[in-house]
Amino acid sequence: MSTIRTLTGITTSGTPHLGNYVGAIKPAIEDSRNEAIQAFYFMADYHAIIKIRDPERVHQSSLEVAATWLACGLDTDRATFYRQSDIPEIMELCWVLNCMTAKGLMNRAHAYKASVDANLAEGNDADTAVTMGLFSYPVLMAADILMFNAHKVPVGRDQVQHLEMARDIADRMNHHYKVGFTLPEAVVGDNVAVLQGLDGRKMSKSYDNTIPLFETEKRLKKSINKIKTNLLEPGEPKDADTSTVFQIWQAFADESRIAEMRKAFENGIAWGEAKKQLFELVNEELKGPRERYLELMQDPGFVEAELLKGAAKAREQTVPFMEKVRRAMGIRPLI
Ligand code: TRP
């Protein structure tokens, strides 16, 4: 049986929240336990500095993200778990790919276009505050992925375009050079890939609408109570499919409990009651990992050692692979 290589990254730009957990961390850890899968997970700290200029925040977030993955049960002997910046070959490959990436392709990237649109809407120059890092973000992401010849990349729906770009870039490389990059595919979970936040928009640091994954029980309860609902009274039927409370429920409950809650919505469950049950469900799953997380946050030496172990394992592949790429492109000793 041939193994499938799966890879995903989390940007170290903030504190992991429920959306990260449901959309990326939880499915990734399940994958890593699957015998047929070889999993690569990493902390995208070079991606973080594109947006975050506060060194303390990047550093703190790196510890938080790493501790989160370990606390959620990632087996670092099975999966390769590393920090992007510990693998210099990724940066080398990034440059190589930059040389093969059409500028026109990057012009179409949603993240870049959103910045341009926001600038124009405010009457600014189109490129105000747009850095080359932001512009070529998808190239670095392609380097992350192509470096390990990943087949499958679990991501949120908002990242699908980046995967298409990585395929384009890989295709172009394969046409010109004898390297043979694998064409990666995005894997987007069905209904819970992008969790909604407190205000009903996508849960995201940039909207300030997140529920931090390992906040205290008390705060978790408070956050859940803050989820925006409508003004329907107890007894009035409620629409499950447009409710953030129900959407988060779906992400944590099994099939039968999802069906029960759907019925409860139809029967007019009070918002307060639905939120109480949601808190209990989420807290039950997070209680154990939360304890472990708090321990790890007090033991950065252990977390660092785990990351260095992962980097050493990753570089067994990246060092010879980058050598092969360089040679294929004509960069090799003269004799
Ligand atoms: N851009 C991704 C995000 O914001 C993070 C990321 C960086 C990533 N490199 C990656 C995800 C490679 C998958 C594969 O979510």
Side-chain angles (χ1 to χ4, degrees):
M1 185 174 51
S2 64
T3 52
I4 296 285
R5 281 186 303 277
T6 240
L7 174 146
T8 203
I10 291 204
T11 310
T12 54
S13 52
T15 300
H17 55 70
L18 276 193
N20 300 138
Y21 175 73
V22 163
I25 302 171
K26 192 175 164 179
I29 289 175
E30 277 163 20
D31 278 355
S32 77
R33 297 191 175 126
N34 181 334
E35 291 291 333
I37 290 177
Q38 195 188 351
F40 297 87
Y41 302 132
F42 71 97
M43 306 203 303
D45 50 357
Y46 277 137
H47 279 267
I49 59 171
I50 293 171
K51 277 203 190 141
I52 311 293
R53 299 278 158 76
D54 172 1
E56 265 320 302
R57 177 154 164 205
V58 172
H59 186 251
Q60 174 69 12
S61 173
S62 299
L63 174 60
E64 289 176 354
V65 171
T68 296
W69 283 74
L70 297 175
C72 289
L74 183 68
D75 178 345
T76 57
D77 291 321
R78 292 207 43 152
T80 307
F81 181 56
Y82 55 97
R83 178 168 46 198
Q84 187 182 37
S85 60
D86 284 336
I87 318 292
E89 294 74 31
I90 294 173
M91 287 300 121
E92 295 180 34
L93 182 62
C94 183
W95 176 253
V96 164
L97 300 182
N98 261 302
C99 294
M100 287 298 283
T101 302
K103 176 174 175 289
L105 183 69
M106 294 300 102
N107 286 342
R108 293 197 287 276
H110 298 317
Y112 163 67
K113 269 177 31 186
S115 294
V116 169
D117 290 348
N119 278 332
L120 295 177
E122 284 167 30
N124 292 330
D125 182 82
D127 282 333
T128 299
V130 173
T131 63
M132 289 306 294
L134 175 67
F135 186 66
S136 57
Y137 182 112
V139 183
L140 177 53
M141 192 160 152
D144 291 330
I145 297 166
L146 302 182
M147 175 55 90
F148 292 92
N149 282 299
H151 300 104
K152 307 257 180 203
V153 182
V155 282
R157 208 170 289 286
D158 58 322
Q159 298 291 317
V160 170
Q161 188 199 33
H162 292 150
L163 262 293
E164 282 160 10
M165 291 174 161
R167 289 172 67 89
D168 263 27
I169 295 169
D171 213 24
R172 206 157 157 162
M173 283 295 288
N174 288 344
H175 267 99
H176 284 264
Y177 299 110
K178 290 194 185 63
V179 182
F181 284 108
T182 302
L183 299 191
E185 256 177 63
V187 184
V188 182
D190 318 336
N191 46 4
V192 292
V194 179
L195 207 63
Q196 288 161 212
L198 298 176
D199 58 0
R201 291 187 291 174
K202 174 194 168 188
M203 189 180 287
S204 163
K205 257 257 133 16
S206 24
Y207 295 144
D208 199 20
N209 66 354
T210 68
I211 301 178
L213 180 57
F214 291 133
E215 62 184 353
T216 62
E217 236 172 68
K218 222 165 135 188
R219 280 175 170 275
L220 177 63
K221 193 177 278 171
K222 258 195 168 154
S223 292
I224 288 177
N225 281 329
K226 270 199 265 175
I227 296 172
K228 195 172 144 201
T229 57
N230 54 32
L231 296 172
L232 291 173
E233 298 286 340
E236 291 186 89
K238 298 173 175 65
D239 181 19
D241 293 315
T242 54
S243 161
T244 301
V245 174
F246 185 75
Q247 199 225 9
I248 300 177
W249 180 270
Q250 266 183 315
F252 282 84
D254 59 23
E255 289 303 320
S256 74
R257 297 203 73 190
I258 293 172
E260 274 168 38
M261 188 53 92
R262 184 176 284 285
K263 259 251 107 41
F265 267 65
E266 283 165 17
N267 292 334
I269 188 172
W271 285 121
E273 178 58 24
K275 286 179 171 180
K276 181 169 160 269
Q277 291 189 26
L278 179 62
F279 163 75
E280 279 159 13
L281 180 73
V282 172
N283 191 51
E284 188 54 36
E285 181 164 328
L286 297 185
K287 223 163 43 188
R290 184 195 293 126
E291 246 172 65
R292 179 80 186 120
Y293 175 78
L294 294 175
E295 282 167 20
L296 289 167
M297 290 301 287
Q298 297 306 316
D299 193 0
F302 176 82
V303 179
E304 180 67 20
E306 287 285 333
L307 290 175
L308 294 182
K309 180 179 89 178
K313 204 155 82 171
R315 293 194 76 204
E316 284 170 18
Q317 296 186 45
T318 62
V319 171
F321 186 65
M322 197 55 219
E323 177 69 23
K324 182 175 157 197
V325 173
R326 269 194 302 268
R327 282 180 176 269
M329 303 181 88
I331 297 178
R332 57 176 188 266
L334 297 179
I335 46 158

PDB file of all heavy atoms in Angstrom, residues 6 23 39 56 64 76 111 161 171 180 186 192 248 251 267 292 298 314-315 317 334:
ATOM      1  N   THR A   6       0.295  13.922   3.629  1.00  0.00           N
ATOM      2  CA  THR A   6      -0.620  15.005   3.932  1.00  0.00           C
ATOM      3  C   THR A   6       0.170  16.089   4.667  1.00  0.00           C
ATOM      4  O   THR A   6       1.066  15.767   5.446  1.00  0.00           O
ATOM      5  CB  THR A   6      -1.742  14.381   4.787  1.00  0.00           C
ATOM      6  OG1 THR A   6      -2.942  14.532   4.159  1.00  0.00           O
ATOM      7  CG2 THR A   6      -1.910  14.923   6.106  1.00  0.00           C
ATOM      8  N   GLY A  23     -11.340  23.250  12.041  1.00  0.00           N
ATOM      9  CA  GLY A  23     -11.025  23.253  10.615  1.00  0.00           C
ATOM     10  C   GLY A  23      -9.702  22.599  10.286  1.00  0.00           C
ATOM     11  O   GLY A  23      -9.526  22.091   9.177  1.00  0.00           O
ATOM     12  N   ALA A  39       2.029  12.138   7.748  1.00  0.00           N
ATOM     13  CA  ALA A  39       1.572  13.508   7.991  1.00  0.00           C
ATOM     14  C   ALA A  39       2.713  14.476   8.299  1.00  0.00           C
ATOM     15  O   ALA A  39       3.638  14.151   9.044  1.00  0.00           O
ATOM     16  CB  ALA A  39       0.578  13.507   9.150  1.00  0.00           C
ATOM     17  N   GLU A  56       7.134  40.014  19.876  1.00  0.00           N
ATOM     18  CA  GLU A  56       6.663  39.260  21.046  1.00  0.00           C
ATOM     19  C   GLU A  56       5.467  38.392  20.684  1.00  0.00           C
ATOM     20  O   GLU A  56       5.336  37.264  21.141  1.00  0.00           O
ATOM     21  CB  GLU A  56       6.267  40.220  22.176  1.00  0.00           C
ATOM     22  CG  GLU A  56       7.378  40.445  23.177  1.00  0.00           C
ATOM     23  CD  GLU A  56       8.148  39.170  23.513  1.00  0.00           C
ATOM     24  OE1 GLU A  56       7.519  38.200  23.975  1.00  0.00           O
ATOM     25  OE2 GLU A  56       9.378  39.130  23.279  1.00  0.00           O
ATOM     26  N   GLU A  64       2.344  28.990  21.703  1.00  0.00           N
ATOM     27  CA  GLU A  64       0.932  28.619  21.873  1.00  0.00           C
ATOM     28  C   GLU A  64       0.480  27.599  20.819  1.00  0.00           C
ATOM     29  O   GLU A  64      -0.207  26.627  21.136  1.00  0.00           O
ATOM     30  CB  GLU A  64       0.039  29.857  21.803  1.00  0.00           C
ATOM     31  CG  GLU A  64       0.187  30.763  23.019  1.00  0.00           C
ATOM     32  CD  GLU A  64      -0.628  32.052  22.923  1.00  0.00           C
ATOM     33  OE1 GLU A  64      -1.231  32.313  21.856  1.00  0.00           O
ATOM     34  OE2 GLU A  64      -0.664  32.792  23.904  1.00  0.00           O
ATOM     35  N   THR A  76       4.279  12.936  17.810  1.00  0.00           N
ATOM     36  CA  THR A  76       5.382  13.505  17.013  1.00  0.00           C
ATOM     37  C   THR A  76       6.380  12.443  16.546  1.00  0.00           C
ATOM     38  O   THR A  76       7.323  12.764  15.833  1.00  0.00           O
ATOM     39  CB  THR A  76       6.134  14.583  17.812  1.00  0.00           C
ATOM     40  OG1 THR A  76       6.598  13.998  19.034  1.00  0.00           O
ATOM     41  CG2 THR A  76       5.233  15.768  18.103  1.00  0.00           C
ATOM     42  N   ALA A 111      -6.243  37.285  -1.349  1.00  0.00           N
ATOM     43  CA  ALA A 111      -5.769  38.067  -0.203  1.00  0.00           C
ATOM     44  C   ALA A 111      -5.180  39.394  -0.679  1.00  0.00           C
ATOM     45  O   ALA A 111      -5.453  40.456  -0.110  1.00  0.00           O
ATOM     46  CB  ALA A 111      -4.742  37.273   0.595  1.00  0.00           C
ATOM     47  N   GLN A 161      -7.802  28.512  -3.257  1.00  0.00           N
ATOM     48  CA  GLN A 161      -7.144  29.177  -4.378  1.00  0.00           C
ATOM     49  C   GLN A 161      -5.615  29.039  -4.284  1.00  0.00           C
ATOM     50  O   GLN A 161      -4.929  28.874  -5.293  1.00  0.00           O
ATOM     51  CB  GLN A 161      -7.527  30.666  -4.417  1.00  0.00           C
ATOM     52  CG  GLN A 161      -7.020  31.342  -5.689  1.00  0.00           C
ATOM     53  CD  GLN A 161      -6.978  32.862  -5.554  1.00  0.00           C
ATOM     54  OE1 GLN A 161      -6.731  33.408  -4.483  1.00  0.00           O
ATOM     55  NE2 GLN A 161      -7.217  33.542  -6.665  1.00  0.00           N
ATOM     56  N   ASP A 171       3.293  22.516 -11.842  1.00  0.00           N
ATOM     57  CA  ASP A 171       3.138  22.110 -13.229  1.00  0.00           C
ATOM     58  C   ASP A 171       4.185  22.789 -14.106  1.00  0.00           C
ATOM     59  O   ASP A 171       4.833  22.178 -14.954  1.00  0.00           O
ATOM     60  CB  ASP A 171       1.736  22.544 -13.674  1.00  0.00           C
ATOM     61  CG  ASP A 171       1.137  21.598 -14.670  1.00  0.00           C
ATOM     62  OD1 ASP A 171       1.556  20.420 -14.676  1.00  0.00           O
ATOM     63  OD2 ASP A 171       0.253  22.037 -15.427  1.00  0.00           O
ATOM     64  N   GLY A 180      10.010  16.697 -11.005  1.00  0.00           N
ATOM     65  CA  GLY A 180       8.863  15.819 -10.766  1.00  0.00           C
ATOM     66  C   GLY A 180       8.126  16.129  -9.481  1.00  0.00           C
ATOM     67  O   GLY A 180       7.945  15.258  -8.629  1.00  0.00           O
ATOM     68  N   ALA A 186      -6.187  20.248  -2.499  1.00  0.00           N
ATOM     69  CA  ALA A 186      -6.789  20.762  -1.266  1.00  0.00           C
ATOM     70  C   ALA A 186      -7.816  19.764  -0.761  1.00  0.00           C
ATOM     71  O   ALA A 186      -8.521  19.144  -1.551  1.00  0.00           O
ATOM     72  CB  ALA A 186      -7.462  22.097  -1.529  1.00  0.00           C
ATOM     73  N   VAL A 192     -17.998  21.799   8.159  1.00  0.00           N
ATOM     74  CA  VAL A 192     -17.465  22.586   9.264  1.00  0.00           C
ATOM     75  C   VAL A 192     -16.084  23.159   8.967  1.00  0.00           C
ATOM     76  O   VAL A 192     -15.352  23.534   9.862  1.00  0.00           O
ATOM     77  CB  VAL A 192     -17.394  21.752  10.556  1.00  0.00           C
ATOM     78  CG1 VAL A 192     -18.781  21.445  11.052  1.00  0.00           C
ATOM     79  CG2 VAL A 192     -16.597  20.486  10.345  1.00  0.00           C
ATOM     80  N   ILE A 248     -21.561  25.368  15.390  1.00  0.00           N
ATOM     81  CA  ILE A 248     -20.484  24.902  16.280  1.00  0.00           C
ATOM     82  C   ILE A 248     -20.882  23.546  16.885  1.00  0.00           C
ATOM     83  O   ILE A 248     -20.057  22.648  17.016  1.00  0.00           O
ATOM     84  CB  ILE A 248     -20.157  25.955  17.363  1.00  0.00           C
ATOM     85  CG1 ILE A 248     -19.696  27.267  16.690  1.00  0.00           C
ATOM     86  CG2 ILE A 248     -19.067  25.438  18.311  1.00  0.00           C
ATOM     87  CD1 ILE A 248     -19.402  28.410  17.644  1.00  0.00           C
ATOM     88  N   ALA A 251     -19.997  20.782  14.688  1.00  0.00           N
ATOM     89  CA  ALA A 251     -18.564  20.501  14.610  1.00  0.00           C
ATOM     90  C   ALA A 251     -18.084  19.618  15.755  1.00  0.00           C
ATOM     91  O   ALA A 251     -17.046  18.984  15.661  1.00  0.00           O
ATOM     92  CB  ALA A 251     -17.778  21.816  14.596  1.00  0.00           C
ATOM     93  N   ASN A 267     -38.300  22.535  17.561  1.00  0.00           N
ATOM     94  CA  ASN A 267     -39.264  22.611  18.657  1.00  0.00           C
ATOM     95  C   ASN A 267     -39.105  23.874  19.489  1.00  0.00           C
ATOM     96  O   ASN A 267     -39.713  23.998  20.556  1.00  0.00           O
ATOM     97  CB  ASN A 267     -39.130  21.380  19.558  1.00  0.00           C
ATOM     98  CG  ASN A 267     -39.570  20.112  18.829  1.00  0.00           C
ATOM     99  OD1 ASN A 267     -40.382  20.187  17.901  1.00  0.00           O
ATOM    100  ND2 ASN A 267     -39.028  18.979  19.219  1.00  0.00           N
ATOM    101  N   ARG A 292      -3.472  19.793  29.735  1.00  0.00           N
ATOM    102  CA  ARG A 292      -2.167  19.466  29.162  1.00  0.00           C
ATOM    103  C   ARG A 292      -1.525  20.723  28.557  1.00  0.00           C
ATOM    104  O   ARG A 292      -0.321  20.953  28.680  1.00  0.00           O
ATOM    105  CB  ARG A 292      -2.372  18.384  28.089  1.00  0.00           C
ATOM    106  CG  ARG A 292      -1.135  17.946  27.375  1.00  0.00           C
ATOM    107  CD  ARG A 292      -0.316  16.946  28.201  1.00  0.00           C
ATOM    108  NE  ARG A 292       0.954  16.656  27.539  1.00  0.00           N
ATOM    109  CZ  ARG A 292       2.143  16.883  28.079  1.00  0.00           C
ATOM    110  NH1 ARG A 292       2.255  17.404  29.289  1.00  0.00           N
ATOM    111  NH2 ARG A 292       3.250  16.591  27.417  1.00  0.00           N
ATOM    112  N   GLN A 298       4.000  25.997  30.482  1.00  0.00           N
ATOM    113  CA  GLN A 298       4.980  26.208  31.553  1.00  0.00           C
ATOM    114  C   GLN A 298       6.290  25.484  31.268  1.00  0.00           C
ATOM    115  O   GLN A 298       7.211  25.538  32.064  1.00  0.00           O
ATOM    116  CB  GLN A 298       4.417  25.687  32.894  1.00  0.00           C
ATOM    117  CG  GLN A 298       3.172  26.401  33.381  1.00  0.00           C
ATOM    118  CD  GLN A 298       3.375  27.892  33.467  1.00  0.00           C
ATOM    119  OE1 GLN A 298       4.404  28.366  33.950  1.00  0.00           O
ATOM    120  NE2 GLN A 298       2.414  28.668  32.960  1.00  0.00           N
ATOM    121  N   ALA A 314      12.520  16.334   9.335  1.00  0.00           N
ATOM    122  CA  ALA A 314      12.123  16.972   8.074  1.00  0.00           C
ATOM    123  C   ALA A 314      13.338  17.182   7.167  1.00  0.00           C
ATOM    124  O   ALA A 314      13.274  16.959   5.955  1.00  0.00           O
ATOM    125  CB  ALA A 314      11.431  18.307   8.359  1.00  0.00           C
ATOM    126  N   ARG A 315      14.438  17.597   7.771  1.00  0.00           N
ATOM    127  CA  ARG A 315      15.603  17.938   6.947  1.00  0.00           C
ATOM    128  C   ARG A 315      16.275  16.714   6.337  1.00  0.00           C
ATOM    129  O   ARG A 315      17.018  16.838   5.364  1.00  0.00           O
ATOM    130  CB  ARG A 315      16.590  18.789   7.750  1.00  0.00           C
ATOM    131  CG  ARG A 315      16.004  20.156   8.071  1.00  0.00           C
ATOM    132  CD  ARG A 315      17.032  21.135   8.548  1.00  0.00           C
ATOM    133  NE  ARG A 315      17.856  21.646   7.449  1.00  0.00           N
ATOM    134  CZ  ARG A 315      19.077  22.127   7.597  1.00  0.00           C
ATOM    135  NH1 ARG A 315      19.645  22.122   8.792  1.00  0.00           N
ATOM    136  NH2 ARG A 315      19.735  22.591   6.561  1.00  0.00           N
ATOM    137  N   GLN A 317      14.783  14.890   4.585  1.00  0.00           N
ATOM    138  CA  GLN A 317      14.206  14.926   3.237  1.00  0.00           C
ATOM    139  C   GLN A 317      14.546  16.205   2.492  1.00  0.00           C
ATOM    140  O   GLN A 317      14.835  16.186   1.310  1.00  0.00           O
ATOM    141  CB  GLN A 317      12.683  14.829   3.320  1.00  0.00           C
ATOM    142  CG  GLN A 317      12.212  13.522   3.893  1.00  0.00           C
ATOM    143  CD  GLN A 317      10.706  13.413   3.816  1.00  0.00           C
ATOM    144  OE1 GLN A 317      10.099  13.720   2.798  1.00  0.00           O
ATOM    145  NE2 GLN A 317      10.107  12.964   4.887  1.00  0.00           N
ATOM    146  N   LEU A 334      31.240  22.980 -10.439  1.00  0.00           N
ATOM    147  CA  LEU A 334      31.716  23.107 -11.826  1.00  0.00           C
ATOM    148  C   LEU A 334      32.310  21.805 -12.356  1.00  0.00           C
ATOM    149  O   LEU A 334      32.370  21.579 -13.551  1.00  0.00           O
ATOM    150  CB  LEU A 334      32.749  24.225 -11.900  1.00  0.00           C
ATOM    151  CG  LEU A 334      32.174  25.604 -11.531  1.00  0.00           C
ATOM    152  CD1 LEU A 334      33.244  26.668 -11.584  1.00  0.00           C
ATOM    153  CD2 LEU A 334      31.015  25.976 -12.459  1.00  0.00           C
TER     154      LEU A 334
END
